[in-house]
Amino acid sequence: MTEVTKTLCPYCGVGCGLEVSPPAQPGKATHRDGQGNPIWRVRGDKAHPSSQGMVCVKGATIAESLDKNRLHYPMVRDSLDQKFRRVSWDEAFDLITKRIQAVRFTQGPEAICMYGSGQFQTEDYYIAQKLLKGCLGSNNFDANSRLCMSSAVAGYIQSFGADGPPCCYEDLELTDCAFLIGTNTAECHPIVFNRLEKYHKRNRKVKMIVVDPRRTPTAEAADLHLAIRPGTDIDLLNGIAHLLMRWNYIDVGFIDDCTSNFPAYAEVICHYSPEIVADRCGIDIKDLETAARYWGESQRVLSLWSMGVNQSSEGTAKVRTIINLHLMTGQIGKPGAGPFSLTGQPNAMGGREAGGLAHLLPGYRLVKNPQHRAEVEEFWGLKRGQISPNPGLTAWDMITGLEDGTVGLLWIAATNPAVSMPDLERTKAALMRSPFTIYQDAYYPTETATYAHVLLPAAQWSEKTGVMTNSERTVTLCPAFRRPPGEAKADWEIFAEVGRRLGFVGEFAFANSAEVYAEFVKLTRDRPCDMTGLSHEQLRSQGPTQWPHPAEEMGRTGDGEINFTPPPHHKSPNTQSSKRLYTNLRFHTPDGRARFGAYHSRGLAEPPDPDYPFVLTTGRLYGHWHTLTRTGRIEKTRQMHPEPFIEIHPRDAARLEITDNQLVEVRSRRSKTFFPAKITKAIAPGTVFVPMHWGALWADNAEANALTHPESCPDSLQPELKACAVQLIPVTAELTVNAKVSIAAKI
Ligand SMILES: Nc1nc2c(c(=O)[nH]1)N[C@H]1C(S)=C(S)[C@@H](COP(=O)(O)OP(=O)(O)OC[C@H]3O[C@@H](n4cnc5c(=O)[nH]c(N)nc54)[C@H](O)[C@@H]3O)O[C@H]1N2
Ligand SMILES: Nc1nc2c(c(=O)[nH]1)N[C@H]1C(S)=C(S)[C@@H](COP(=O)(O)OP(=O)(O)OC[C@H]3O[C@@H](n4cnc5c(=O)[nH]c(N)nc54)[C@H](O)[C@@H]3O)O[C@H]1N2
Ligand code: SF4
Ligand SMILES: [Mo]
């Protein structure tokens, strides 16, 4: 068989198109992984509009992880100190159904929780929402996206009246100034970065500004790197605004015609003089001025951001403060311009569409909005009032709910919280106390499996058919092209079967995922993310498609505005397409205006002090994906980054007498860890960096999240995973934390 499957890379939110073909090729030796499984061949899909044939090392090597250490069968145990025993699906479903009913009728539906993932396909997300929020009446569905882009969601909603990144990747090649803040795009969104960098190199006049406390590979490529102190983004952004105002670079016509709340914002920014801002951020006034000048002098400014902005106790305020700059300069709704949040996971965007956070409902709706609840109840054929009016528990609330006994059942799927949640000792202690935890994953073991009563084997990408949406709102069908191992099932099939066994037979009578998707898109009708024109069939025949994509009336805006005439001063294209949102300069707020947010900087939730004098920041490496369940099992990526480390500036290292590679004990108020030192000027003095990837299975005592805290943004409830206060102590005794090169022996 030489058939090629077109699909999407299942790693990051860039969403590169892949072409996958079977391992056996006439006349060529079949590549096999370490366990003897044939490896499928992967290359970039030149026809995919987002990536144009490019892939990074993760996409290129994905096939090598597919057959390694998979969970094949459902397994159960009565308590966490017992061994798992294999059971049939029937027994597992029976047990789960009984437990759900018991909790539902003793503690109430709000004691039932599901913690899902931006690595679900949209169909998985949708069925989970219908089961939890609809049929069971519990809004306690949250996803790891809470730790990832919930601040971007909250910021867009507050500023524009609806979620949705308004830009597209073409803007990378149309901008005059790319403003990258809190994003290491080169390592984490490599193909977005490739597109930008190529264009930047070809066009000398195009400016690239990078704002990051670390000198990352992204910062290396910039014309201007602002190595601000962690947590001073709002100072910087308000400082830039201050100068734009002083130098009269603002678009008064746009502010008058298209925005509200400018006076409150203007009052705030007048307090951010360059002297104050440069001092707080730890940068030169000259550099601050250069940044403001690049912004002001550019016809088209594109901001890109990700976790350095979102993972903050003032994440929503940071997002809105970025958007403010676009509003004050009219930099939105036109090619090459706009505030563009890069999504992390391959289908974080699909999760937003399907309502996959505890305060959302499908179709960009909100739990708190009575009309939205009524619309979804009616669509699902449920009685009025069935959907609870209260937003459900967030990821971290589920942990505290386990602590105080209000959570009676926790169902975790496609995420590994025993590595990725903040304050891991506390997280693990809470998981230890869980009365009943179901864990649905593709691989075994993972760190979270240690805390499960039931393990359910999930079919993963390549083994199930469904859709994913990337950062630029492009929806791609990912067809199954190989059989799931053992008895693994698609996530949505597992949720649907539980739904049927709970008595919701009609609600979950889907024969396949195409039917699930067909039902879901109907819920997006006339919503900002209208994709009623999409179906598996359409995506298969037409290829990847951007939303909004309403069913008929393709000329319709998707903004619910058809005949709007743009304000006369602004030469904006009159016609709407799905490439960019807000090209008509009308927003989803009641008055159609985008809102300025007026925020003073509050700084870090746990600033450094004499006891814990360093700021620890955490993040990612190019070749690894999150908790290593895949990339830790691939030779090439494991060799790229074989072990964890801590980056320390030479000045700090000299003062503490730490030498390169020496083991360092890192203590926060919550726990301590050990890392070999990597002494480098890439990190600013006073700040240290640790990658997030290594959990307890992969290295001893080197978990970044043992150190972090759960303090979160009051609006988005996203924890501040990017900063906590630590102290460093050089370890003189012989102690090793070499990453365990092979965990196979442990399995
Ligand atoms: N290789 C790889 N790529 C990935 C992933 C992966 O695991 N591996 N994961 C995907 C996912 S889910 C996500 S969310 C994205 C994340 O993508 P990014 O957000 O680009 O990645 P991070 O390394 O988490 O953090 C980005 C940068 O924020 C900086 N930072 C820390 N504190 C501050 C601050 O106070 N202000 C500013 N301005 N910057 C700060 C850090 O120094 C870091 O360089 O990557 C996606 N892509
Ligand atoms: N300190 C610190 N912590 C962080 C971050 C940080 O920057 N710093 N970043 C945060 C962010 S942005 C994110 S997104 C999270 C990521 O953290 P996690 O979500 O915990 O990371 P993953 O390793 O991607 O976990 C995904 C799991 O899903 C499984 N899986 C893959 N495909 C499927 C499928 O189709 N079905 C099922 N059921 N399972 C599947 C994989 O085997 C894996 O175990 O980490 C967060 N934690
Ligand atoms: S850039 Fe992201 S989507 Fe593209 S190949 Fe790499 S990991 Fe996959
Ligand atoms: Mo993420």
Side-chain angles (χ1 to χ4, degrees):
M1 201 168 78
T2 52
E3 199 184 315
V4 172
T5 305
K6 281 178 181 283
T7 182
L8 190 75
C9 172
Y11 284 119
C12 87
V14 175
C16 299
L18 300 183
E19 287 183 345
V20 188
S21 40
Q25 208 187 15
K28 282 203 176 165
T30 302
H31 286 291
R32 293 183 186 274
D33 67 20
Q35 296 172 0
N37 302 302
I39 301 172
W40 287 67
R41 285 170 300 132
V42 175
R43 59 163 191 237
D45 174 6
K46 292 208 171 77
H48 197 288
S50 301
S51 52
Q52 304 162 354
M54 294 179 271
V55 283
C56 77
V57 69
K58 295 181 293 302
T61 55
I62 173 68
E64 290 174 46
S65 66
L66 297 177
D67 283 317
K68 287 184 185 154
N69 306 123
R70 295 293 301 272
L71 177 59
H72 284 92
Y73 311 106
M75 302 209 273
V76 304
R77 58 182 169 186
D78 297 327
S79 62
L80 299 186
D81 53 2
Q82 292 179 354
K83 284 204 153 133
F84 284 110
R85 63 177 193 279
R86 182 178 164 183
V87 293
S88 67
W89 269 110
D90 191 50
E91 283 169 281
F93 281 133
D94 197 45
L95 175 66
I96 291 167
T97 316
K98 284 202 180 108
R99 279 307 277 240
I100 289 179
Q101 294 296 52
V103 174
R104 198 172 161 208
F105 298 118
T106 53
Q107 288 178 270
E110 59 285 356
I112 299 170
C113 299
M114 185 180 284
Y115 182 43
S117 167
Q119 289 161 75
F120 277 165
Q121 294 177 335
T122 303
E123 295 79 356
D124 305 321
Y125 258 120
Y126 175 68
I127 294 296
Q129 306 316 302
K130 194 172 183 184
L131 178 63
L132 270 278
K133 294 176 181 169
C135 298
L136 292 174
S138 166
N139 287 328
N140 298 338
F141 177 98
D142 214 41
N144 56 4
S145 301
R146 181 68 64 186
L147 314 177
C148 184
M149 44 30 44
S150 54
S151 296
V153 174
Y156 280 136
I157 292 178
Q158 291 182 7
S159 292
F160 298 145
D163 187 17
C167 311
C168 62
Y169 295 160
E170 241 180 61
D171 292 329
L172 298 164
E173 290 139 0
L174 291 168
T175 192
D176 301 321
C177 175
F179 181 75
L180 282 64
I181 177 162
T183 170
N184 183 3
T185 325
E187 292 197 74
C188 298
H189 295 93
I191 301 309
V192 156
F193 192 72
N194 276 5
R195 287 182 68 166
L196 178 63
E197 201 191 16
K198 269 192 209 156
Y199 168 75
H200 178 233
K201 278 192 177 145
R202 271 199 317 268
N203 297 278
R204 300 243 63 114
K205 282 191 183 149
V206 171
K207 299 299 178 202
M208 196 197 291
I209 308 172
V210 171
V211 183
D212 193 309
R214 298 164 54 218
R215 191 160 183 88
T216 58
T218 314
E220 293 283 345
D223 299 293
L224 176 66
H225 173 210
L226 299 171
I228 60 167
R229 288 201 183 93
T232 59
D233 300 77
I234 293 185
D235 293 300
L236 177 80
L237 294 160
N238 283 349
I240 294 175
H242 182 104
L243 286 173
L244 291 173
M245 186 96 144
R246 189 188 279 181
W247 295 337
N248 204 15
Y249 277 125
I250 65 177
D251 186 338
V252 179
F254 182 88
I255 295 170
D256 281 350
D257 294 341
C258 308
T259 71
S260 61
N261 204 33
F262 183 68
Y265 174 59
E267 201 290 314
V268 165
I269 60 177
C270 71
H271 299 281
Y272 290 78
S273 68
E275 294 72 24
I276 291 177
V277 169
D279 182 53
R280 285 196 201 150
C281 297
I283 57 172
D284 279 353
I285 291 188
K286 203 168 43 54
D287 288 344
L288 172 65
E289 288 174 345
T290 306
R293 190 160 295 114
Y294 285 169
W295 256 91
E297 287 175 355
S298 300
Q299 294 296 309
R300 299 165 295 191
V301 184
L302 181 70
S303 307
L304 302 171
W305 77 89
S306 42
M307 293 311 117
V309 168
N310 292 346
Q311 285 172 343
S312 156
S313 57
E314 46 183 359
T316 307
K318 282 191 189 179
V319 169
R320 293 201 66 193
T321 308
I322 296 170
I323 294 174
N324 286 340
L325 285 179
H326 287 270
L327 298 181
M328 88 188 285
T329 52
Q331 294 286 2
I332 186 163
K334 56 185 186 181
F340 195 177
S341 78
L342 296 171
T343 47
Q345 296 177 90
N347 197 33
M349 287 288 291
R352 284 145 87 157
E353 295 151 17
L357 286 169
H359 62 294
L360 303 179
L361 290 172
Y364 274 18
R365 291 180 174 85
L366 297 171
V367 159
K368 273 195 175 156
N369 183 319
Q371 192 191 328
H372 289 178
R373 290 197 304 278
E375 285 164 5
V376 178
E377 283 160 356
E378 191 187 334
F379 183 81
W380 281 341
L382 302 169
K383 65 177 194 297
R384 260 295 160 84
Q386 169 68 17
I387 298 177
S388 161
N390 307 316
L393 301 182
T394 65
W396 185 253
D397 293 338
M398 292 179 192
I399 297 301
T400 57
L402 290 172
E403 287 174 343
D404 65 22
T406 48
V407 169
L409 185 148
L410 177 61
W411 191 337
I412 303 169
T415 177
N416 194 1
V419 183
S420 53
M421 282 284 232
D423 198 350
L424 268 187
E425 274 189 20
R426 194 168 157 194
T427 296
K428 289 178 184 177
L431 289 170
M432 231 26 224
R433 295 183 48 167
S434 173
F436 194 72
T437 300
I438 306 162
Y439 183 52
Q440 186 168 311
D441 203 281
Y443 291 87
Y444 182 83
T446 71
E447 289 78 356
T448 304
T450 313
Y451 304 92
H453 298 90
V454 178
L455 290 178
L456 299 179
Q460 62 169 332
W461 172 89
S462 78
E463 300 152 4
K464 59 179 182 181
T465 298
V467 308
M468 304 221 214
T469 308
N470 72 6
S471 288
E472 62 162 350
R473 291 172 280 103
T474 295
V475 184
T476 304
L477 181 71
C478 308
F481 56 85
R482 42 198 292 286
R483 291 165 62 84
E487 296 176 1
K489 287 183 194 288
D491 295 286
W492 75 266
E493 286 181 297
I494 301 172
F495 303 146
E497 178 60 18
V498 169
R500 288 190 292 269
R501 287 180 184 230
L502 287 167
F504 304 103
V505 178
E507 283 81 357
F508 297 102
F510 300 100
N512 53 44
S513 59
E515 289 184 11
V516 176
Y517 194 67
E519 179 176 304
F520 160 66
V521 296
K522 288 190 192 136
L523 259 176
T524 66
R525 177 172 300 286
D526 292 331
R527 300 296 306 153
C529 59
D530 194 329
M531 51 189 93
T532 42
L534 300 184
S535 66
H536 281 203
E537 201 35 57
Q538 181 271 345
L539 290 167
R540 195 173 281 117
S541 59
Q542 309 288 311
T545 309
Q546 243 174 340
W547 65 251
H549 192 86
E552 316 88 4
E553 318 142 275
M554 269 305 294
R556 205 171 51 164
T557 63
D559 292 350
E561 288 289 330
I562 303 163
N563 295 318
F564 177 77
T565 315
H569 79 279
H570 210 279
K571 290 202 189 67
S572 162
N574 212 337
T575 48
Q576 298 287 313
S577 82
S578 49
K579 267 190 189 164
R580 290 174 196 91
L581 306 180
Y582 310 125
T583 51
N584 61 3
L585 308 182
R586 298 290 288 169
F587 299 88
H588 295 292
T589 50
D591 61 5
R593 290 163 175 270
R595 290 187 209 109
F596 279 98
Y599 293 97
H600 281 291
S601 164
R602 285 187 285 111
L604 299 177
E606 189 182 73
D609 61 18
D611 289 336
Y612 296 91
F614 290 91
V615 177
L616 168 80
T617 190
T618 63
R620 293 160 169 78
L621 305 174
Y622 171 60
H624 275 317
W625 179 257
H626 294 160
T627 72
L628 305 181
T629 55
R630 285 180 180 138
T631 53
R633 295 183 163 100
I634 297 170
E635 196 55 30
K636 186 163 182 183
T637 47
R638 202 176 52 211
Q639 304 249 321
M640 278 175 113
H641 318 285
E643 60 176 31
F645 55 83
I646 183 164
E647 284 184 1
I648 307 174
H649 190 273
R651 205 190 305 160
D652 293 330
R655 198 163 41 81
L656 295 170
E657 298 183 0
I658 296 171
T659 51
D660 211 24
N661 253 326
Q662 183 179 0
L663 205 59
V664 180
E665 182 178 325
V666 186
R667 288 191 190 178
S668 76
R669 288 187 174 80
R670 292 151 293 280
S671 189
K672 62 176 183 186
T673 52
F674 297 89
F675 301 96
K678 184 169 166 185
I679 298 174
T680 166
K681 285 190 180 151
I683 191 94
T687 304
V688 290
F689 168 80
V690 161
M692 65 162 291
H693 303 293
W694 281 267
L697 269 176
W698 298 90
D700 289 328
N701 298 318
E703 295 159 290
N705 280 324
L707 304 165
T708 56
H709 64 70
E711 293 305 313
S712 60
C713 165
D715 290 308
S716 67
L717 304 174
Q718 174 159 357
E720 186 156 272
L721 286 162
K722 278 287 172 275
C724 67
V726 295
Q727 49 176 258
L728 308 182
I729 305 155
V731 176
T732 40
E734 273 304 302
L735 231 168
T736 42
V737 281
N738 286 341
K740 289 167 188 152
V741 173
S742 165
I743 64 158
K746 293 182 77 179
I747 300 162

